[in-house]
Amino acid sequence: MAPTLTDVAKRADVALSTASRAFSDPQRLGPDTLRKVLDAAQELGYQTAKPPEAQVAGSTVAMVVPDIANPVYGTLVKAAQGEGRRRRHTLVLHDTDRDPEREREAIAHLRSQVSAIVLCSSRLPADELVELCGSTPSVLINQEHDGVDCVLADAGDGLRQAVDYLAALGHERIAFVSGSTNSWSSPRRVRLVESLATEAGISLHVLDWHAETVAAGTAVAASVLATGASAVITHNDLVAFGVIKGARALGVQVPDGLSVIGIDDVALTEVSRPSLTSISIPWSKAGSLSMELLGPILGGHRPPPRKHLLPAHLVVRDSTAPAARRPA
């Protein structure tokens, strides 16, 4: 006969209500009592309906992001918080303002204050991140390292679809506005777009690092037009919004005079004018998955680190059209 909760209570020498609380509301028990009940349950082979990682609750997880003003990170944090709430974990947020030194200081402070750290789109090398976290469990989002769990929300498949789509629309010269040189994804995207453009027989002009903001996109619009490109892909949607604004100020309408494609597919892409064609990346899934990956670790298990590549795809809207023949 399978052991019951009554058996667990007797083995742990606690009241039945206390044993029940260990699995239904563990935060109300002291750590010694909780551990005594869980140890008794393990010895007896008692099984609950909850996953093992949910049986040790009350952990605090820090999420470090480069810029909470970017809608991407709001989406990511909201999903992580929802999954954390389901697992009875508390999520705390730290915004580094895209500053590597602030990120170092934040990790150094947080590692002794929290149970685990999720690092999103870090501006630091992966080896340094792992060293900074030390023994504190961590998950990397948009960063790669063999020693920890990684969620890679890259735009590879979507970029291939975007270049193929532009080629089908007759665009022979395109531009790509890259992101920060400290970004894990930006140099990879540049290399991939260069390869894809070559395969498609398209001339590509890469505009080197600009801030990943609307203002930066507005500022770079003149440089995009100066290349003679009939289409542009930008590092993120915010830059794309800025390019549309900047091109309009210079008398070039989107998509008649310039097709624009962003990356991320934030909520504003559907309501912008024109609505923005964008490479959709499942940031919400990245946020919830980061908390799922920490579950077993916070529950006392150490499974081998895994890498999860989240697929991306192109969402076509009104900011792209067949190539216009503009004067050189």
Side-chain angles (χ1 to χ4, degrees):
M1 181 181 296
T4 66
L5 188 59
T6 300
D7 298 327
V8 173
K10 289 180 178 178
R11 173 65 66 91
D13 195 25
V14 298
L16 180 59
S17 60
T18 300
S20 176
R21 199 169 292 129
F23 301 104
S24 63
D25 196 7
Q27 291 176 309
R28 294 183 60 187
L29 299 183
D32 291 340
T33 301
L34 177 60
R35 176 50 56 193
K36 186 163 61 171
V37 174
L38 295 180
D39 286 345
Q42 185 174 9
E43 292 169 8
L44 293 171
Y46 174 73
Q47 298 292 326
T48 72
K50 292 187 176 184
E53 59 266 28
Q55 295 175 14
V56 180
S59 299
T60 298
V61 178
M63 179 165 277
V64 180
V65 302
D67 182 11
I68 195 60
N70 186 328
V72 161
Y73 300 112
T75 298
L76 193 151
V77 170
K78 185 175 181 65
Q81 182 173 268
E83 182 63 25
R85 186 183 300 114
R86 189 183 75 80
R87 295 170 180 269
R88 297 180 180 271
H89 300 320
T90 299
L91 186 73
V92 297
L93 177 66
H94 191 99
D95 182 346
T96 67
D97 200 25
R98 302 185 298 276
D99 185 332
E101 188 55 40
R102 287 189 185 181
E103 188 172 3
R104 289 188 184 95
E105 293 173 358
I107 298 171
H109 171 72
L110 290 168
R111 66 189 178 195
S112 61
Q113 307 295 319
V114 298
S115 305
I117 303 176
V118 178
L119 299 158
C120 309
S121 299
S122 173
R123 272 31 183 179
L124 299 174
D127 287 342
E128 182 176 357
L129 290 174
V130 173
E131 183 177 352
L132 283 169
C133 289
S135 60
T136 303
S138 61
V139 171
L140 306 184
I141 297 179
N142 240 17
Q143 184 68 281
E144 190 171 7
H145 194 280
D146 290 336
V148 296
D149 285 309
C150 304
V151 180
L152 306 178
D154 201 14
D157 290 342
L159 281 171
R160 181 175 296 279
Q161 295 168 29
V163 172
D164 288 347
Y165 177 64
L166 291 176
L169 291 176
H171 294 277
E172 298 176 351
R173 179 179 296 182
I174 67 174
F176 183 83
V177 181
S178 68
S180 169
T181 53
N182 292 327
S183 164
W184 175 85
S185 60
S186 183
R188 287 163 174 77
R189 292 175 183 177
V190 170
R191 290 194 295 270
L192 180 56
V193 171
E194 288 174 338
S195 175
L196 293 170
T198 299
E199 290 177 15
I202 291 176
S203 174
L204 175 70
H205 190 101
V206 176
L207 297 167
D208 291 333
W209 176 58
H210 292 75
E212 298 158 6
T213 62
V214 173
T218 304
V220 80
S223 297
V224 170
L225 296 174
T227 67
S230 59
V232 59
I233 303 172
T234 64
H235 178 76
N236 68 12
D237 291 335
L238 299 184
V239 176
F241 293 143
V243 168
I244 292 173
K245 178 183 177 183
R248 185 181 297 126
L250 295 168
V252 176
Q253 296 301 312
V254 175
D256 297 337
L258 179 71
S259 287
V260 179
I261 297 178
I263 298 176
D264 287 329
D265 196 27
V266 299
L268 293 175
T269 55
E270 295 189 78
V271 298
S272 64
R273 291 292 178 266
S275 58
L276 181 65
T277 296
S278 183
I279 295 169
S280 181
I281 295 178
W283 289 108
S284 182
K285 176 61 177 176
S288 60
L289 180 57
S290 68
M291 299 298 285
E292 291 177 24
L293 292 172
L294 285 172
I297 300 174
L298 295 174
H301 306 284
R302 282 279 186 173
R306 293 166 290 172
K307 295 178 184 177
H308 297 263
L309 180 61
L310 302 182
H313 65 277
L314 182 68
V315 179
V316 176
R317 297 191 181 92
D318 297 334
S319 66
T320 45
R325 301 298 177 183
R326 293 195 289 113

